[in-house]
Amino acid sequence: DQQVKQNSPSLSVQEGRISILNCDYTNSMFDYFLWYKKYPAEGPTFLISISSIKDKNEDGRFTVFLNKSAKHLSLHIVPSQPGDSAVYFCAATGNFNKFYFGSGTKLNVKP
Amino acid sequence: EADIYQTPRYLVIGTGKKITLECSQTMGHDKMYWYQQDPGMELHLIHYSYGVNSTEKGDLSSESTVSRIRTEHFPLTLESARPSHTSQYLCASSLTKGTQYFGPGTRLTVL
């Protein structure tokens, strides 16, 4: 049973607008969450992370929000750029031993 | 920038051949991982290691084997490749309580 879910397989956004990617998890023992960006035929690149003791973490154009009660996190990209077009994976871990990944959301930023 | 390397990047091979996918990291990370990923799917953990001479099978059953004789090296071997092994193989590493970083991946095609 998948413990991390990304229910939107794709998202299309206009350049300059906000992109919001969502992720849900089921395991209440998860306490650290990450977002990765992946281009075809390449490995995932780490973007941003958040610990469960926080509800928001910001790094430049990227902000991750965590709602522990809803077991939900989201990645906001503002403003979106064509170079942001890629597949975005969220991941979670409970003890830094194993990391669990969602199935990804393909973001297309249109010029 | 993570210093984790995978070779080969692409491999096309016939059924029944033995193959070894190489993964090396120069960051001194104690933990290393192998994932298998198909398009539109989540990353599936197939092997992991918490240190030298420590290896464990992941959540996804795999016919491959791994070894961890040196901290920096975590090769994956398939004794007899089959078309069902066609996939992207991603190697990752992390510190004891740290973010996981990925190599560029190996795209394996078995004919």
Side-chain angles (χ1 to χ4, degrees):
Chain A
D1 192 27
Q2 205 172 347
Q3 300 188 54
V4 177
K5 295 181 182 179
Q6 294 176 256
N7 293 316
S8 298
S10 64
L11 174 68
S12 188
V13 171
Q14 203 68 38
E15 180 179 6
R17 307 295 288 267
I18 184 171
S19 295
I20 300 176
L21 297 100
N22 294 302
C23 179
D24 297 294
Y25 61 96
T26 57
N27 191 335
S28 57
M29 298 301 290
F30 289 153
D31 58 8
Y32 193 75
F33 305 87
L34 311 93
W35 283 95
Y36 289 84
K37 175 181 179 180
K38 186 179 185 297
Y39 294 114
E42 293 186 13
T45 302
F46 169 71
L47 273 178
I48 191 169
S49 61
I50 187 167
S51 165
S52 60
I53 62 173
K54 296 185 175 181
D55 54 19
K56 177 183 175 181
N57 189 27
E58 196 170 350
D59 184 2
R61 296 186 298 114
F62 301 92
T63 303
V64 56
F65 295 91
L66 176 63
N67 182 333
K68 289 186 290 294
S69 60
K71 293 189 178 67
H72 177 84
L73 63 154
S74 61
L75 175 69
H76 292 209
I77 306 173
V78 183
S80 301
Q81 299 172 355
D84 296 329
S85 296
V87 178
Y88 289 78
F89 289 94
C90 69
T93 182
N95 54 11
F96 291 94
N97 285 335
K98 288 185 181 180
F99 291 72
Y100 295 87
F101 288 79
S103 53
T105 296
K106 185 175 184 178
L107 174 65
N108 179 33
V109 180
K110 297 177 287 187
Chain B
E1 190 79 16
D3 295 324
I4 179 164
Y5 309 98
Q6 289 185 246
T7 57
R9 291 292 314 279
Y10 302 92
L11 179 61
V12 180
I13 202 161
T15 297
K17 300 290 186 184
K18 177 180 178 179
I19 60 169
T20 296
L21 307 184
E22 301 287 349
C23 177
S24 295
Q25 51 96 5
T26 58
M27 299 172 284
H29 287 174
D30 47 352
K31 296 182 178 179
M32 295 189 75
Y33 308 80
W34 276 103
Y35 292 88
Q36 189 173 335
Q37 198 243 338
D38 295 310
M41 303 294 289
E42 65 266 36
L43 280 67
H44 289 289
L45 180 67
I46 51 175
H47 297 283
Y48 59 100
S49 167
Y50 294 159
V52 171
N53 294 325
S54 150
T55 60
E56 300 285 345
K57 288 192 177 292
D59 301 319
L60 179 69
S61 176
S62 174
E63 293 162 351
S64 57
T65 58
V66 293
S67 62
R68 188 91 183 274
I69 299 172
R70 303 196 317 266
T71 299
E72 63 272 19
H73 195 213
F74 192 41
L76 180 146
T77 298
L78 271 168
E79 290 293 333
S80 179
R82 294 207 304 267
S84 61
H85 296 138
T86 295
S87 188
Q88 185 178 37
Y89 291 83
L90 296 163
C91 181
S93 71
S94 66
L95 287 170
T96 300
K97 283 193 177 292
T99 298
Q100 208 171 64
Y101 293 96
F102 284 84
T106 295
R107 167 65 64 184
L108 173 65
T109 301
V110 184
L111 304 175

